[in-house]
Amino acid sequence: MTEKQLTFNAKSHVLDNNDNFSPDGNFLCYDTRYMVFNTNLANSKSVEKVNISTGEETILWQPESVSGENAAPGVAAVSYHPTENKVIFIHGPQLDEIELRGYYDIKNRNGAIVSADGNGIFSIADLRDISTDNPTIAGAQRGGTHRHEYSKNGERVGFTYDDFLQQEYDRTIGYMEPNKNAPEGFSHFFAVLLKPTKKGESKAGEIEKAYGDSWVDSLGTKRAFIGKVRAKNGVDYENSLFIAEIPNSVDITTAYAGDANTYPEPPKGIQVTRLTHSTTDDGIVRGSFAGDKIAYLSKDKKGIAQVFVIAADGSDISNDPSKRPVQVTNYTSDAGFIRWHPSDKWIFSISQGKVYASYIGDSDSFGKSILLTPNELNRENLVVSHDGKILAYDALIAHKSESRIIDGEQTNLYKQIFLLDIQDALKE
């Protein structure tokens, strides 16, 4: 295995643990946060791509912007479409929208799509409508969508969502898809997958917040997430794993968009199921390539975040042992950045800045973890190529001659992209 630094110039190259490999595997997309004023995504100025063979960088979208404590638009958290040469990412208000919408905020952003050939063919996917005089336009959101992720068939986009009109509600999850009934001038119809209970008002078993979501299957019919749920005692909270099922028969236009006084409702036919009753489930959950298993983080008896796996139709209270969660790793420090190998026999994760591969195939070697990287770097934002032969990740590297001021401090550290060739490393 050979670890190779791909990017070198004095600029952030943030993969953000998204779907960063291009469909043909030749490029990685990234954003350039942490370059101006502070670490807020409002001051992230561009989304770009880099050729993994040559290191050549191409700006895909760099709108006019303003910087500072109040900034806009803010473009970040970019992911490739699985089969088409385009990317989707967070986009805050354009400069000519600031007077009407205000500056970038988690409740003031959209999903934007731009061609990945460098020609700048650009569109906003989801309409944002925060009018209070009339009901919200059907298919529009009323706050901000974030961490957009295409399903593997490219037909649905999942995301987290924060509502502006009803701020008594915490974050939830949603999806959108192209639809002829999408708001005029926009390509996608928006819907929440879960209406959370108002903050602080939940009863036992009710979800107040949904986050850490990701597609489970390739068709975009199952989306797993972490739910902040009220415990049985009616006082404490538990962070547990859930799955939302969205059959292809669901008509997204049956979703209720809400109004100034009511929160949006999911389309008819969405089913949400609790898979665990843990208090410490966390991270961005990840579905296997076959769509039959979910990997997630949860704390062991020592309070260390480990990788766990559960069947997509499983439960920690199932009478069938094969449906219950299984602990995969036994790290001495917290795990993070879970990713599956396309074979579904290995799960990658990072602990103490080092990348590991853990075997989950059907043999006595289950849970065996192989260290793939040296100790020197603090690696993060792990992504896997479509063929499973290359890992990419970020690490902070000191630049010899350039620096900038971020959050009032001078720093010469920049997030650079590294590649690791693992095609001969994984043997059962």
Side-chain angles (χ1 to χ4, degrees):
M1 292 177 292
T2 302
E3 184 176 60
K4 181 181 79 171
Q5 185 173 342
L6 177 63
T7 61
F8 294 87
N9 57 1
K11 178 172 63 179
S12 290
H13 305 77
V14 180
L15 298 172
D16 199 32
N17 201 29
N18 290 331
D19 294 336
N20 300 90
F21 275 96
S22 60
D24 62 10
N26 292 328
F27 296 89
L28 285 161
C29 62
Y30 58 90
D31 67 56
T32 57
R33 67 185 76 178
Y34 312 151
M35 285 298 297
V36 179
F37 192 74
N38 61 16
T39 57
N40 193 317
L41 295 184
N43 286 296
S44 182
K45 301 302 182 184
S46 63
V47 294
E48 307 183 2
K49 71 175 181 179
V50 58
N51 187 304
I52 67 170
S53 297
T54 67
E56 180 183 3
E57 298 177 10
T58 303
I59 295 173
L60 303 180
W61 185 248
Q62 188 174 24
E64 293 185 11
S65 63
V66 291
S67 306
E69 197 66 47
N70 294 312
V75 295
V78 58
S79 284
Y80 264 102
H81 188 282
T83 59
E84 300 177 23
N85 195 25
K86 62 184 180 183
V87 296
I88 189 167
F89 53 97
I90 293 169
H91 201 299
Q94 303 267 25
L95 296 195
D96 60 3
E97 297 177 308
I98 290 175
E99 184 175 352
L100 178 65
R101 289 181 54 173
Y103 294 95
Y104 175 96
D105 184 78
I106 64 170
K107 296 181 173 68
N108 190 13
R109 52 191 182 180
N110 304 76
I113 299 171
V114 71
S115 58
D117 55 8
N119 290 331
I121 300 173
F122 172 84
S123 65
I124 297 292
D126 51 327
L127 171 64
R128 181 177 183 269
D129 175 22
I130 60 167
S131 59
T132 56
D133 297 335
N134 299 292
T136 305
I137 295 171
Q141 52 110 331
R142 317 112 51 84
T145 54
H146 160 252
R147 212 179 62 76
H148 307 88
E149 178 198 21
Y150 285 105
S151 56
K152 286 187 175 68
N153 64 1
E155 295 185 5
R156 286 174 170 167
V157 177
F159 47 78
T160 57
Y161 173 69
D162 300 277
D163 199 75
F164 176 79
L165 292 182
Q166 291 286 299
Q167 300 200 22
E168 313 88 63
Y169 292 85
D170 212 327
R171 172 168 287 183
T172 190
I173 63 170
Y175 79 109
M176 57 184 169
E177 61 187 28
N179 190 286
K180 65 180 182 180
N181 295 312
E184 185 177 357
F186 296 83
S187 56
H188 286 64
F189 197 103
F190 162 96
V192 295
L193 283 170
L194 170 77
K195 178 185 178 182
T197 303
K198 286 184 179 180
K199 289 182 282 188
E201 296 185 11
S202 60
K203 299 177 182 178
E206 293 182 339
I207 301 172
E208 285 193 21
K209 181 181 180 181
Y211 61 100
D213 50 314
S214 187
W215 293 115
V216 175
D217 66 330
S218 61
L219 300 178
T221 64
K222 297 176 182 179
R223 192 159 182 86
F225 64 95
I226 302 297
K228 177 184 177 182
V229 60
R230 184 73 73 172
K232 284 185 177 181
N233 64 14
V235 178
D236 298 324
Y237 290 97
E238 299 168 338
N239 294 316
S240 302
L241 180 67
F242 291 78
I243 190 168
E245 296 189 49
I246 320 142
N248 287 324
S249 59
V250 167
D251 180 358
I252 195 172
T253 66
T254 62
Y256 171 60
D259 58 31
N261 301 308
T262 58
Y263 194 87
E265 300 271 1
K268 296 177 181 179
I270 304 295
Q271 179 69 42
V272 175
T273 303
R274 187 171 186 175
L275 303 185
T276 70
H277 296 74
S278 172
T279 61
T280 63
D281 294 347
D282 202 3
I284 297 176
V285 304
R286 299 291 182 186
S288 62
F289 279 74
D292 60 343
K293 295 183 178 68
I294 302 168
Y296 62 101
L297 299 176
S298 195
K299 290 185 178 179
D300 63 13
K301 294 179 180 179
K302 297 179 181 179
I304 299 171
Q306 305 285 359
V307 179
F308 285 74
V309 171
I310 189 172
D313 61 350
S315 169
D316 60 356
I317 56 175
S318 174
N319 292 325
D320 183 351
S322 69
K323 299 297 183 182
R324 298 178 201 150
V326 179
Q327 183 176 333
V328 176
T329 61
N330 287 281
Y331 296 141
T332 57
S333 186
D334 287 346
F337 306 107
I338 298 172
R339 289 288 185 170
W340 288 84
H341 186 270
S343 69
D344 283 344
K345 293 183 178 181
W346 297 87
I347 293 177
F348 303 105
S349 57
I350 293 178
S351 181
Q352 292 185 311
K354 294 172 284 189
V355 181
Y356 293 84
S358 301
Y359 183 70
I360 63 158
D362 297 325
S363 77
D364 294 337
S365 296
F366 183 95
K368 176 185 71 175
S369 293
I370 301 172
L371 177 61
L372 301 178
T373 54
N375 297 326
E376 290 75 18
L377 301 176
N378 185 25
R379 301 165 186 84
E380 58 184 4
N381 299 332
L382 178 65
V383 293
V384 184
S385 64
H386 302 298
D387 60 9
K389 295 180 179 180
I390 299 174
L391 303 184
Y393 40 83
D394 283 322
L396 277 174
I397 301 296
H399 197 275
K400 293 182 180 179
S401 59
E402 300 289 336
S403 66
R404 79 278 192 210
I405 297 174
I406 297 292
D407 287 327
E409 296 185 4
Q410 194 82 27
T411 178
N412 69 336
L413 297 175
Y414 297 86
K415 286 196 176 184
Q416 305 291 1
I417 297 173
F418 284 73
L419 301 176
L420 185 69
D421 186 337
I422 61 164
Q423 57 182 321
D424 298 321
L426 305 183
K427 297 179 181 179
E428 299 179 20

